[in-house]
Amino acid sequence: MVHMHRRKIVQDHVALLSFRWLLYHVILGSSLCKDALGSTDFVKDSDHGLICKSDLIPLMPSPASHLMCARMCKREPDCTAFMFDRQNSSFPGASTSERSGTCLWCPANDILSISFTPADPQLETWFNVRGFLVSLPTKDELVPIRDVLATVGRSVIVQGRVPEPVPRRCRFTLYVNDTESFAVRVSPHFHFHGYINKLFVNSKIENQWDTHIFPDNPFSAGRNFEIAVLARNNGFDVYIDGVFMKTLTQTAHFIGHIRYTSVLDFEDVIVRF
């Protein structure tokens, strides 16, 4: 009986992992492709790139494999992502799964913005990530996350779906250590406190609010969405579905201190950090 109970627990755990894999790769249609990079913790992102104010710097002499580029990037303290320019030739001594190319990067301080329209299909973007949160609680509960924005040049990507029918409001929040303040909050109001189809992007420091209200709410019932938050020296840049919305400058000093997130009334949420 005990053996059967343990087997059921394992089966339930496998089923849960399978559901999360399906949710991540199918329901949201994510284009992130996680290759077998071992401890390098890099993912290839086909939908996002980086825009730098400085010229891109070679990580290592070419040709090189993307695995070698990832390892080299991890050795650089300011490398949070790199661009991999694929070549047709194979890397000497590499396996058939590895490709040769030139890897380029810019220091995290020089990252200006996120690009949602990569110009060159041969140019891949590889992001150094700390982890994924899948299917967060739909209640406004704080979920611990480790070292989300430990430095400038890092981003948080949130993908999910708005329920149908829509609730009065939805909310995504990045909290700091004390949990009484938050660096970023994105909150579409569908019909809440007299606000109809308005978008709030705000923050709170010691009970002082920095709030910007947009007249048009880009979220809609039953539709997938993406929120991207990029940490920069001057604050947090907020993008929704590839459109830049606002830089929250009052919370720039929170970079490196975000420890929690919460989601309210969004469905099928995945957070990449």
Side-chain angles (χ1 to χ4, degrees):
M1 180 69 70
V2 174
H3 178 71
M4 293 179 63
H5 179 66
R6 289 178 177 174
R7 181 190 297 177
K8 186 178 187 305
I9 292 177
V10 172
Q11 290 174 341
D12 291 344
H13 182 66
V14 172
L16 177 61
L17 291 178
S18 299
F19 169 75
R20 289 181 173 180
W21 184 93
L22 179 65
L23 171 68
Y24 181 60
H25 289 277
V26 178
I27 295 179
L28 293 182
S30 174
S31 63
L32 297 177
C33 302
K34 190 167 185 178
D35 283 31
L37 293 180
S39 61
T40 51
D41 299 327
F42 278 77
V43 294
K44 182 180 71 174
D45 194 332
S46 301
D47 289 340
H48 305 92
L50 293 175
I51 299 176
C52 301
K53 67 180 179 181
S54 61
D55 292 335
L56 294 175
I57 307 168
L59 263 174
M60 58 190 306
S62 60
S65 68
H66 57 284
L67 175 58
M68 297 172 64
C69 295
R71 288 173 176 166
M72 188 61 67
C73 183
K74 289 206 69 171
R75 297 176 187 176
E76 299 287 346
D78 294 329
C79 186
T80 58
F82 67 89
M83 309 295 287
F84 186 72
D85 190 2
R86 291 181 294 171
Q87 298 176 352
N88 293 327
S89 59
S90 60
F91 179 73
S95 66
T96 55
S97 62
E98 291 183 307
R99 294 154 293 173
S100 66
T102 304
C103 41
L104 306 167
W105 71 290
C106 70
N109 286 337
D110 290 344
I111 295 176
L112 292 178
S113 61
I114 299 175
S115 170
F116 292 82
T117 54
D120 187 351
Q122 291 294 110
L123 197 63
E124 303 171 352
T125 304
W126 289 79
F127 288 91
N128 179 216
V129 300
R130 303 300 178 91
F132 296 87
L133 299 174
V134 182
S135 297
L136 275 72
T138 55
K139 297 180 180 179
D140 204 18
E141 299 174 359
L142 270 61
V143 179
I145 46 180
R146 60 183 182 92
D147 300 329
V148 171
L149 296 173
T151 181
V152 296
R154 290 198 175 275
S155 59
V156 176
I157 305 291
V158 185
Q159 294 175 321
R161 183 168 55 223
V162 178
E164 188 174 10
V166 295
R168 298 176 68 189
R169 64 170 174 169
C170 301
R171 194 163 69 199
F172 167 74
T173 310
L174 290 177
Y175 290 85
V176 297
N177 285 332
D178 59 14
T179 72
E180 296 298 322
S181 300
F182 53 85
V184 177
R185 172 172 288 174
V186 177
S187 179
H189 288 42
F190 297 99
H191 197 295
F192 185 74
H193 285 179
Y195 292 98
I196 299 176
N197 283 332
K198 297 292 190 294
L199 173 67
F200 282 59
V201 177
N202 53 25
S203 60
K204 184 176 73 170
I205 308 173
E206 297 178 351
N207 291 322
Q208 297 297 315
W209 291 82
D210 176 22
T211 301
H212 190 89
I213 303 174
F214 294 88
D216 298 316
N217 179 13
F219 297 87
S220 57
R223 297 292 299 275
N224 292 348
F225 68 87
E226 178 181 288
I227 301 170
V229 179
L230 173 67
R232 297 182 57 208
N233 280 323
N234 64 330
F236 294 92
D237 291 350
V238 178
Y239 303 80
I240 295 178
D241 291 337
V243 178
F244 171 77
M245 304 302 293
K246 182 176 173 61
T247 300
L248 295 169
T249 58
Q250 299 299 319
T251 56
H253 64 280
F254 283 162
I255 294 175
H257 296 281
I258 294 185
R259 292 294 178 270
Y260 306 94
T261 187
S262 70
V263 174
L264 174 66
D265 288 340
F266 282 129
E267 293 182 344
D268 300 333
V269 176
I270 294 173
V271 182
R272 184 194 86 188
F273 54 90

